[in-house]
Amino acid sequence: MPFGNPCQIALDAKCYAVPVDTSIGLRERKKLRTRAELSDAAFRLFAERGFDETTIEDIVEQVEVSPRTFFRYFDSKEDVVIGFFDDLGLELRAMLAARPPEEPSFTALRAALGSLIDLYEERQDRVVAAKRLAHETPSIRARLLDKHARWENGVTEELVTRIGGDPSQEPRMRLLAAVALAAFSTAVSAWCTSGGRPDLHALVDDALGAVGDGFDEPGLSEAPRSPVRRAND
């Protein structure tokens, strides 16, 4: 990718799109269904037995496929959890790309994150379970760093595209992406800690509102400020 953060990215990471396009062929729909069934079985077993106690053989037995089939879709058990978040990251980028081009950068990203909240609420049990597994399992927690980098890279690329593709704006758009995603993640973590009971829209609005002042001032998202002078200049 042109705007990358390679020091934090697992180059062999897999990303999978969740929505099923009815125009695709039967074979592809079957593959998507098998992957979803493996993911559902894995999360169910993780909840019942624990992550470490669940084996890949346990998961494939639930779906009546072979371990070889599992590895067509996931590199490891951790990828079942991280792949779920990668799916959501792809959806976030698509939502950002769909925002009106005249919207200021932070406004567009905030609206896209608002649309993503709807998916989080629809998949509340899965999101809460995945966050809990990440908290409890060091190997998943480590992989989340890669996930955060992939989300940041995707959002940064899309923000740069929205303002004309000027590479000189990449650092500024990365800052915007990093701050907004950090605020979003903080709100989601609080929501998951409370078992998904609070209003996630309100939590995210509060978090983004706390960091949003200034991002949407005229020209601020689209052009860099003058360099800050040192005191002895």
Side-chain angles (χ1 to χ4, degrees):
M1 58 181 64
F3 305 111
N5 188 358
C7 63
Q8 296 183 15
I9 297 176
L11 297 178
D12 61 348
K14 294 181 179 179
C15 298
Y16 306 92
V18 167
V20 177
D21 185 348
T22 56
S23 67
I24 65 177
L26 176 61
R27 182 177 180 182
E28 289 301 313
R29 291 201 298 274
K30 183 178 179 181
K31 289 170 63 176
L32 289 172
R33 184 168 59 250
T34 299
R35 180 178 177 271
E37 290 173 351
L38 286 167
S39 182
D40 290 344
F43 272 93
R44 184 170 59 253
L45 291 174
F46 295 158
E48 294 173 357
R49 306 178 185 181
F51 182 83
D52 291 332
E53 290 71 23
T54 300
T55 67
I56 289 173
E57 287 72 18
D58 293 332
I59 296 170
V60 298
E61 182 180 355
Q62 296 286 311
V63 187
E64 298 183 341
V65 297
S66 67
R68 182 178 179 181
T69 298
F70 177 92
F71 288 113
R72 289 176 187 162
Y73 301 97
F74 306 104
D75 288 335
S76 64
K77 290 190 299 179
E78 288 83 359
D79 273 341
V80 177
V81 181
I82 300 304
F84 170 70
F85 286 116
D86 278 331
D87 293 339
L88 293 173
L90 292 173
E91 296 197 47
L92 172 61
R93 180 166 182 173
M95 292 169 180
L96 179 58
R99 297 303 306 172
E102 67 274 9
E103 280 186 337
S105 298
F106 189 75
T107 298
L109 179 53
R110 189 169 183 171
L113 288 168
S115 297
L116 188 66
I117 292 170
D118 294 335
L119 294 182
Y120 270 58
E121 291 180 334
E122 289 173 9
R123 307 171 193 177
Q124 175 179 325
D125 291 346
R126 181 62 54 87
V127 173
V128 172
K131 285 285 188 178
R132 186 183 67 250
L133 285 167
H135 176 74
E136 297 173 349
T137 312
S139 59
I140 297 177
R141 213 160 46 239
R143 293 289 301 278
L144 277 179
L145 294 175
D146 287 341
K147 184 275 294 184
H148 286 305
R150 289 193 294 276
W151 278 41
E152 181 186 305
N153 287 335
V155 169
T156 300
E157 285 190 21
E158 197 57 50
L159 289 172
V160 172
T161 298
R162 287 177 55 84
I163 59 172
D166 182 358
S168 70
Q169 294 299 305
E170 189 269 345
R172 194 168 192 81
M173 294 299 101
R174 182 171 295 281
L175 174 62
L176 192 162
V179 172
L181 290 174
F184 180 79
S185 180
T186 299
V188 170
S189 293
W191 181 66
C192 290
T193 300
S194 301
R197 289 185 296 275
D199 183 343
L200 183 55
H201 277 280
L203 291 174
V204 173
D205 280 345
D206 287 345
L208 291 175
V211 300
D213 292 342
F215 271 122
D216 280 342
E217 291 179 11
L220 193 57
S221 294
E222 288 72 28
R225 290 178 176 175
S226 299
V228 176
R229 293 182 179 273
R230 293 177 296 185
N232 58 351
D233 283 353

